[in-house]
């Protein structure tokens, strides 16, 4: 193998891509299926792929080397029910993946971009700006790593709480970045996760959260899968939404509402509205009434998330009293609404706080929160932990 051959991230390859790789290596087609089966189980180290010939394992190892991210930190919160993984890629960019465990659910919250270009002023990721797109392989691997950890009963030596599922049941695109501003990776990930011979995850267990990029929502509907679409509305008037979600100036509320209706009609799936509730900003009765009207028109479910305080954000979280009044008012107006818990807040793993408290790269510095975390280990993502 000449040195000029670029490294391949096996998780970035579709089934066709794996077949092409094997053809390129002069191998029979069934080798691609064998390789795929290992990848689905979270194993990407060819040395462990015992049903492949040794010579092929060595050739694959030469191609796959250096595509694995490094697990820089692992923090645990909520009594072992929330695990935050900080992954760093060979180019120094870092992202976070959060695993949330419930009695019968294991949800992975994945990132699609390092940073985000959308600039929502209450969001820590938005404050940091856009760094780069993640590849499909980098997005898929976040789920695979979490799944393999559950199958093995622990992450990084930390055992999973009793009763936690032994595999990932739900995936939410709610980590860093705007999934519909990275459509190729988002679509490839959804297809990989849903593939019955792949991860075989029900489309109903997948939620894509977006600020409301209209062309991207249409593209998702084109997939013909009953994915859950969650639109981060946060404001029910254009004036306020222009401020909270700057992309509203390009896709104003009326257009977002229309495409949400279209999505529901084409997929037969109820859509969700996300509402980050910010004290004295979007918690008024007027906002509640207009939100209720939109939700009723769309027959959408509203999820309210009290704003997580974030460094550099001038706004504050809403008072308990205002939060209750807001939720009650929307509910009384006949819309379905749920107040979400603030999972992971004590490990900076809650929404909007990812990567807030630290910077990586030159002069690497770990987050302040890590020092206080129950468990931090620095190690290479070891395939041994995933088998
Ligand atoms: N970019 C996509 C998905 C990632 S953000 C989107 O915006 O929908 C996931 C969710 O976290 C969004 O609903 C976002 O509004 C919310 N969020 C961002 N910052 C937050 C904060 N400080 N407190 C609570 N929720 C926040
Ligand atoms: Fe980006 Fe979502 Fe944060 Fe807005 S809320 S800046 S779209 S990650």
């Amino acid at each position: 193998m000449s040195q000029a051959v670029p490294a391949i991230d096996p998780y970035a390859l579709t089934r066709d891509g794996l077949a092409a790789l094997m053809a390129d290596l002069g191998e029979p087609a069934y080798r691609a299926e064998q390789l795929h089966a290992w990848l689905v189980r979270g194993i990407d180290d060819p040395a462990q792929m015992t049903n492949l010939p040794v010579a092929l394992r060595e050739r694959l190892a030469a191609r796959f080397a250096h595509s694995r991210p490094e697990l820089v930190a692992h923090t645990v919160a909520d009594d072992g029910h929330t695990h935050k993984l900080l992954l760093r890629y060979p180019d120094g960019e870092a992202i976070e993946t959060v695993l949330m465990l419930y009695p019968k659910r294991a949800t992975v919250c994945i990132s699609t971009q390092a940073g985000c270009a959308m600039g929502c002023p209450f969001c820590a990721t938005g404050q940091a700006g856009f760094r780069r797109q993640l590849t499909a392989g980098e997005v898929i691997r976040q789920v695979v790593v979490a799944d393999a950890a559950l199958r093995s009963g622990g992450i990084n030596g930390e055992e999973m709480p009793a009763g936690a599922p032994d595999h990932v049941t739900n995936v939410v695109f709610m980590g860093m970045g705007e999934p519909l501003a990275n459509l190729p990776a988002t679509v490839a990930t959804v297809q990989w996760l849903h593939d019955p011979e792949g991860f075989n995850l029900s489309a109903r267990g997948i939620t894509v959260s977006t600020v409301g990029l209209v062309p991207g929502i249409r593209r998702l509907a084109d997939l013909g899968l009953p994915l859950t679409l969650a639109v981060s509305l946060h404001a029910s008037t254009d004036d306020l939404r222009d401020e909270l979600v700057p992309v509203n100036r390009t896709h104003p509320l009326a257009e977002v509402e229309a495409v949400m209706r279209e999505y529901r009609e084409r997929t037969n799936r109820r859509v969700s509205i996300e509402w980050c509730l910010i004290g004295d900003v979007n918690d008024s009765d007027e906002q509640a009434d207009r939100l209720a009207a939109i939700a009723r028109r769309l027959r959408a479910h509203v999820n309210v998330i009290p704003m997580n305080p974030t460094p550099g954000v001038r706004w504050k979280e809403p008072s308990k009293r205002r939060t209750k009044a807001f939720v009650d008012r929307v509910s009384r107006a006949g819309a379905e609404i749920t107040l979400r818990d603030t999972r992971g807040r004590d490990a900076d793993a809650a929404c909007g706080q990812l990567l807030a408290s630290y910077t990586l790269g030159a002069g690497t510095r770990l987050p302040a929160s890590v020092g206080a975390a129950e468990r931090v280990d620095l190690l290479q993502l070891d395939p041994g932990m995933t088998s």
Side-chain angles (χ1 to χ4, degrees):
M1 205 54 39
S2 92
Q3 286 180 329
V5 178
I8 293 175
D9 180 349
Y11 285 109
L13 296 177
T14 59
R15 306 293 288 278
D16 289 348
L18 292 173
L21 172 66
M22 286 303 179
D24 191 39
L25 293 170
E27 293 289 333
Y30 70 88
R31 294 282 183 223
E33 296 310 313
Q34 291 176 317
L35 173 55
H36 182 250
W38 286 108
L39 295 173
V40 171
R41 290 172 52 197
I43 291 173
D44 75 336
D45 178 3
Q48 299 190 337
M49 301 180 184
T50 45
N51 56 356
L52 301 184
V54 173
L56 176 59
R57 288 186 227 167
E58 283 167 4
R59 292 168 79 197
L60 290 176
R63 304 287 294 267
F64 292 174
H66 311 303
S67 63
R68 241 181 246 154
E70 190 186 357
L71 177 58
V72 181
H74 169 205
T75 61
V76 185
D78 302 319
D79 261 349
H81 289 81
T82 302
H83 292 253
K84 180 180 73 163
L85 306 178
L86 172 59
L87 303 175
R88 182 166 53 195
Y89 299 107
D91 69 353
E93 294 299 342
I95 56 114
E96 295 205 3
T97 305
V98 184
L99 173 61
M100 291 164 286
L101 300 170
Y102 305 85
K104 286 192 178 133
R105 228 168 357 121
T107 300
V108 195
C109 176
I110 57 174
S111 300
T112 51
Q113 302 180 313
C116 183
M118 298 295 139
C120 307
F122 55 89
C123 167
T125 309
Q127 299 307 292
F130 179 71
R131 305 283 302 174
R132 75 164 167 85
Q133 301 285 23
L134 298 190
T135 64
E138 289 168 340
V139 182
I140 292 165
R141 193 187 283 266
Q142 297 171 55
V143 184
V144 173
V145 163
D147 188 70
L150 288 172
R151 282 179 204 282
S152 70
I155 296 185
N156 208 8
E158 176 86 12
E159 280 189 19
M160 292 296 161
D166 66 356
H167 63 281
V168 168
T169 61
N170 295 70
V171 174
V172 296
F173 288 72
M174 289 191 182
M176 293 170 65
E178 166 50 45
L180 301 186
N182 187 4
L183 265 174
T186 295
V187 168
T189 302
V190 166
Q191 286 169 333
W192 206 95
L193 294 178
H194 184 255
D195 179 355
E197 287 174 45
F199 213 72
N200 196 19
L201 198 69
S202 154
R204 289 166 202 281
I206 304 174
T207 299
V208 177
S209 176
T210 174
V211 267
L213 301 188
V214 172
I217 293 174
R218 293 219 171 88
R219 176 74 185 90
L220 274 194
D222 289 342
L223 292 178
L225 297 172
L227 302 168
T228 302
L229 175 72
V231 175
S232 295
L233 220 57
H234 310 317
S236 52
T237 50
D238 279 319
D239 274 0
L240 182 59
R241 196 161 192 268
D242 283 351
E243 190 183 352
L244 297 185
V245 185
V247 78
N248 194 64
R249 294 174 203 145
T250 310
H251 300 295
L253 271 170
E255 199 189 335
V256 173
E257 184 176 336
V259 78
M260 290 173 79
R261 178 173 299 108
E262 181 186 328
Y263 186 89
R264 195 201 65 214
E265 286 167 0
R266 288 177 62 196
T267 61
N268 224 353
R269 278 294 276 171
R270 171 198 285 260
V271 293
S272 301
I273 293 174
E274 304 295 304
W275 193 278
C276 171
L277 196 65
I278 309 172
D280 297 329
V281 173
N282 64 356
D283 58 355
S284 67
D285 287 350
E286 189 211 348
Q287 287 292 325
D289 292 344
R290 288 175 184 267
L291 165 62
I294 296 173
R296 286 191 58 181
R297 286 198 292 273
L298 289 171
R299 293 199 294 279
H301 189 101
V302 181
N303 289 310
V304 170
I305 316 148
M307 189 189 83
N308 290 305
T310 292
V313 172
R314 59 185 186 278
W315 291 313
K316 57 182 190 330
E317 46 190 317
S319 68
K320 290 245 164 24
R321 193 184 56 78
R322 244 348 279 169
T323 304
K324 185 175 182 316
F326 185 90
V327 171
D328 287 350
R329 193 172 176 98
V330 174
S331 174
R332 271 201 313 275
E336 267 193 48
I337 184 164
T338 308
L339 180 62
R340 293 283 162 194
D341 63 7
T342 45
R343 256 298 168 110
R345 189 179 270 191
D346 58 335
D348 268 2
C351 305
Q353 295 178 311
L354 302 181
L355 216 75
S357 43
Y358 55 90
T359 53
L360 285 160
T364 298
R365 178 160 76 76
L366 286 176
S369 64
V370 165
E374 292 167 50
R375 179 172 295 269
V376 179
D377 287 312
L378 302 180
L379 86 167
Q380 195 75 24
L381 261 189
D382 174 8
M385 106 189 186
T386 65
S387 55

